[in-house]
Amino acid sequence: MKSMPAPISRRPAAAPSLNSAHGLIAAARMGAAGTLAGWPVLLGRGGFYVVAMSILAALWDKVAAERVPHALVLPAGGLVIYVGVTEWIMMSTPAIHLRLEDDIRSGALEVHLLRPKLYLAQKIAETVGGLAARTSVIAAAAMALLLVSGRTVPAPAAWVYIVVLGLVGGVIVVLLYAVTGLCAFWIRRTMPVYLIVQKMLFLLGGLFAPVSFYPRWMAQVSEASPFAAALYWPGVQALHPSASLFWRALGLQLIWIGLLSGLAALVWRAGLRKILRQGV
Amino acid sequence: MSAVITVQDLRKSYRYAKRGRGLIGALRGAVAPEHQTIAAVDGISFEIAAGERVAIIGPNGAGKSTTLKILSGILEPSAGAARVFGLVPWLQRKMLAYRIGVVFGQRSQLWGELPARDSFALLRRIYDQDAAPFARRLDSLVERFEVGDLLGQPVQRMSLGQRMRCEIIASLLHAPSLLFLDEPTIGLDITAKAAIRDFITEQAANEGQTVVLTSHDTRDIELVCDRVIVINAGRIVVDQPTDQLRRQFLGRKLVTLQSAAARIVIDLPGIQVRPSAPHTTILEVDTRLVRVEQVIAAALKDGGIEDITIEDPPMEEVVREIYASTHQ
């Protein structure tokens, strides 16, 4: 018989520790490793970004050439870089709602509930890890495309603003998708909610055009929304890079991260109460 | 011996909205839904002592999985009380998680696209384990389960048997004192099943772990557990040591004779001949009517016997008999 495993010290303390930073970082690393392990998909995503951006660049170049009034006030080629930023964020965000829905519907959630750490926090940390891996690869594709296109490259400060706001914007999209996925506790299939969130990202988020193009009242509503915090505000740094705009955008983003985290926690608790009573 | 699990008059019922047929039925269900209540667990009580290996068995829908879920803290009962290590599972689920290990045969706790090694590393963080002793324990489990070559392989590319070995390692990494196993050998081949059973038995014996197992494979119950709780329609119908259960419900032995002759004929009361291949005679002996040694003596009297095997009837037959008796 082989030797028995040595007993180990464990910490079933009076109360279990909350999700430690170490645990969440480990989950994020796991998410990043999982995303990188699927490197063919990641490369495909980078390739698709190049194709999508080539089409959108052609569209916005034509808009500029046709002298559409709004396009005239923007820097030459700025709209293309704006859309490059918003697409970069959207295409980098992993589909956490599908994973949550799958775990809830299939009953796989039970396995996670048997652990001493909060499932939702672990899942979000994993997804943010995946987001970090994707943003790096797609950013490389975007930079290559930008250099090949011969367009004017934004100033170095603008890049810092774009990267920071882009990553935080990605986290906002993750949280929006997380709340969407948690709806599976009640509606089982979250596609209808996802479609609404996605369309709101397109429209109020300004995925294809800055929300400043909208009528004034609509632009104001959009700019204050979490959708614009995720996409428009990072993208606008490609058009009008400024420190004051950056801090304003970052502040708005952090407010939305707080609100959406609270919403996700509330929805999670309600869903958990439901399945603890009724089963998965 | 102190009780690790105490269950008193535990009940769990589910309420469903009945759905009518067709469009009219759907509309009626939406406007004035009719509800139906089903008792999945209907007033069960038992205790499990430290170090016991207990099988909870029953037909599909009997309430065994519901019981296991309540005891592991992922389902609230409708009434009654239960304590595991003195904790109320559904109220102190996370605290209890440090002390229990759970294996669901049909669900994975590993990250499919990543190597098992990465899953184990994350589980260390999840269970707040210190690095050095954790590494020693992992090494030891990996050696005993002979999965050293598999650690770098993505879990989704493993065979079911390989994955199940890694699943059990994952459930033991935090050194739980209580192991819940839900169909741990489902879908495995004979060799893999034997390896899993041996490991569970050895592990429980050496570390004094308490094991609660559900399975439809009666060999799991026979070879791993020393006590069986049979649940049917949400109620406990039998709670006995495994050996006693087998004897009480059948009181029979299977005597297999290998012979030069195509068939051995024995004329004694309480014997039934079961179908078998030529040169093999399988006798079902009712030990309340005739002793096994009388049967063997009668077989040897005619000569030509090459081999004799005496076995208890398979557990499956025991279970079938129990279900039949409780339905009468």
Side-chain angles (χ1 to χ4, degrees):
Chain A
M1 193 194 296
K2 290 166 186 169
S3 62
M4 293 305 301
I8 55 174
S9 64
R10 56 180 185 277
R11 302 169 191 160
S17 62
L18 294 172
N19 291 272
S20 64
H22 285 309
L24 294 179
I25 290 167
R29 284 175 56 191
M30 185 77 126
T35 303
L36 291 170
W39 60 267
V41 176
L42 202 51
L43 284 184
R45 191 171 282 271
F48 180 66
Y49 177 87
V50 169
V51 172
M53 280 312 302
S54 301
I55 296 167
L56 290 169
L59 169 71
W60 282 116
D61 283 346
K62 182 163 171 48
V63 167
E66 298 282 337
R67 305 176 70 79
V68 173
H70 274 302
L72 291 179
V73 301
L74 299 173
L79 270 177
V80 175
I81 298 177
Y82 169 88
V83 178
V85 172
T86 58
E87 276 292 353
W88 167 60
I89 297 165
M90 279 301 286
M91 290 184 65
S92 296
T93 311
I96 184 176
H97 59 290
L98 293 179
R99 295 202 169 203
L100 293 174
E101 180 190 299
D102 191 41
D103 281 352
I104 292 167
R105 286 182 58 210
S106 70
L109 180 63
E110 287 178 341
V111 175
H112 299 280
L113 294 181
L114 292 162
R115 293 175 177 157
K117 293 291 168 12
L118 183 62
Y119 161 80
L120 183 62
Q122 293 285 322
K123 219 65 184 170
I124 289 175
E126 269 180 58
T127 308
V128 170
L131 171 74
R134 283 189 183 182
T135 47
S136 307
V137 172
I138 297 177
M143 287 307 294
L145 188 62
L146 182 62
L147 294 174
V148 168
S149 71
R151 293 172 193 278
T152 309
V153 177
W159 286 116
V160 175
Y161 301 151
I162 288 170
V163 168
V164 173
L165 295 179
L167 286 173
V168 181
V171 174
I172 291 174
V173 181
V174 167
L175 289 170
L176 286 167
Y177 286 175
V179 173
T180 303
L182 292 174
C183 293
F185 280 121
W186 294 274
I187 57 171
R188 311 301 283 173
R189 292 185 187 278
T190 59
M191 183 57 84
V193 181
Y194 170 72
L195 287 175
I196 292 169
V197 171
Q198 190 195 47
K199 296 296 175 273
M200 296 303 262
L201 280 163
F202 285 6
L203 299 172
L204 297 186
L207 179 68
F208 295 123
V211 296
S212 53
F213 280 22
Y214 296 169
R216 187 173 166 72
W217 68 271
M218 200 186 290
Q220 284 174 335
V221 169
S222 299
E223 284 176 6
S225 72
F227 311 104
L231 302 179
Y232 168 74
W233 288 107
V236 88
Q237 289 294 330
L239 303 172
H240 310 292
S242 84
S244 62
L245 213 55
F246 168 77
W247 289 114
R248 185 179 151 202
L250 189 60
L252 185 69
Q253 285 186 324
L254 294 176
I255 288 169
W256 276 115
I257 283 180
L259 291 173
L260 289 170
S261 300
L263 178 63
L266 283 175
V267 178
W268 164 253
R269 272 185 214 162
L272 189 61
R273 267 200 304 276
K274 179 176 180 282
I275 62 159
L276 285 177
R277 285 193 191 127
Q278 298 176 16
V280 174
Chain B
M1 208 177 282
S2 62
V4 167
I5 299 176
T6 311
V7 174
Q8 286 175 328
D9 197 25
L10 198 67
R11 293 168 194 274
K12 178 68 189 179
S13 52
Y14 295 103
R15 194 160 173 259
Y16 295 100
K18 281 165 78 176
R19 287 187 186 171
R21 280 187 189 171
L23 185 63
I24 292 172
L27 284 172
R28 192 179 296 148
V31 177
E34 265 185 68
H35 289 97
Q36 186 176 9
T37 302
I38 296 170
V41 174
D42 195 10
I44 62 171
S45 302
F46 61 87
E47 284 192 355
I48 294 177
E52 266 195 296
R53 298 194 300 270
V54 180
I56 298 180
I57 62 170
N60 288 332
K64 52 190 190 300
S65 290
T66 302
T67 305
L68 221 60
K69 285 178 185 178
I70 292 172
L71 293 179
S72 55
I74 56 175
L75 194 62
E76 289 176 4
S78 309
R83 284 189 177 267
V84 179
F85 294 114
L87 303 170
V88 180
W90 54 95
L91 297 179
Q92 295 164 293
R93 180 169 45 89
K94 289 183 180 173
M95 211 181 292
L96 181 63
Y98 286 99
R99 304 188 67 178
I100 63 171
V102 183
V103 174
F104 288 115
Q106 291 173 303
R107 282 180 194 146
S108 180
Q109 58 182 311
L110 304 169
W111 284 255
E113 66 273 23
L114 294 175
R117 184 193 294 120
D118 291 1
S119 290
F120 297 153
L122 183 55
L123 287 171
R124 178 176 87 77
R125 297 291 189 182
I126 287 175
Y127 285 96
D128 297 319
Q129 302 294 308
D130 294 327
F134 178 87
R136 281 199 296 278
R137 184 171 175 82
L138 177 59
D139 288 347
S140 175
L141 287 167
V142 164
E143 187 193 338
R144 281 178 57 204
F145 251 117
E146 297 170 356
V147 293
D149 295 341
L150 302 174
L151 289 182
Q153 192 175 315
V155 173
Q156 63 197 9
R157 289 193 200 150
M158 290 180 185
S159 70
L160 187 57
Q162 291 170 334
R163 182 177 70 77
M164 190 50 67
R165 281 188 278 166
C166 291
E167 295 282 352
I168 293 182
I169 289 175
S171 73
L172 292 170
L173 281 171
H174 57 291
S177 311
L178 170 62
L179 209 51
F180 287 116
L181 304 167
D182 191 8
E183 301 279 359
T185 61
I186 195 164
L188 300 181
D189 62 36
I190 292 169
T191 316
K193 281 183 179 186
I196 299 285
R197 287 170 190 147
D198 287 349
F199 179 79
I200 294 167
T201 311
E202 186 189 316
Q203 171 79 14
N206 286 296
E207 293 198 356
Q209 263 167 347
T210 308
V211 175
V212 180
L213 176 148
T214 73
S215 179
H216 280 100
D217 189 326
T218 50
R219 297 292 286 168
D220 289 349
I221 299 158
E222 282 184 289
L223 298 175
V224 175
C225 298
D226 38 36
R227 178 180 159 199
V228 180
I229 295 173
V230 184
I231 297 183
N232 198 11
R235 294 181 179 177
I236 292 179
V237 291
V238 169
D239 182 353
Q240 284 182 344
T242 312
D243 289 343
Q244 192 183 328
L245 180 89
R246 193 189 289 118
R247 289 197 184 92
Q248 181 181 336
F249 275 87
L250 286 184
R252 284 176 290 182
K253 291 277 182 187
L254 294 181
V255 177
T256 304
L257 306 168
Q258 302 288 342
S259 59
R263 279 281 177 274
I264 299 291
V265 179
I266 296 173
D267 188 19
L268 284 172
I271 290 183
Q272 279 193 330
V273 180
R274 288 191 171 192
S276 61
H279 306 286
T280 299
T281 305
I282 301 176
L283 305 172
E284 189 182 307
V285 180
D286 187 336
T287 53
R288 288 165 295 191
L289 298 176
V290 61
R291 295 201 308 274
V292 174
E293 63 208 67
Q294 286 178 283
V295 177
I296 292 170
L300 291 172
K301 197 172 67 180
D302 293 337
I305 300 295
E306 295 169 352
D307 194 17
I308 298 173
T309 315
I310 305 165
E311 293 172 297
D312 289 316
M315 191 70 192
E316 204 166 311
E317 289 182 17
V318 180
V319 173
R320 205 181 301 142
E321 185 120 331
I322 293 166
Y323 293 162
S325 71
T326 56
H327 276 99
Q328 283 167 1

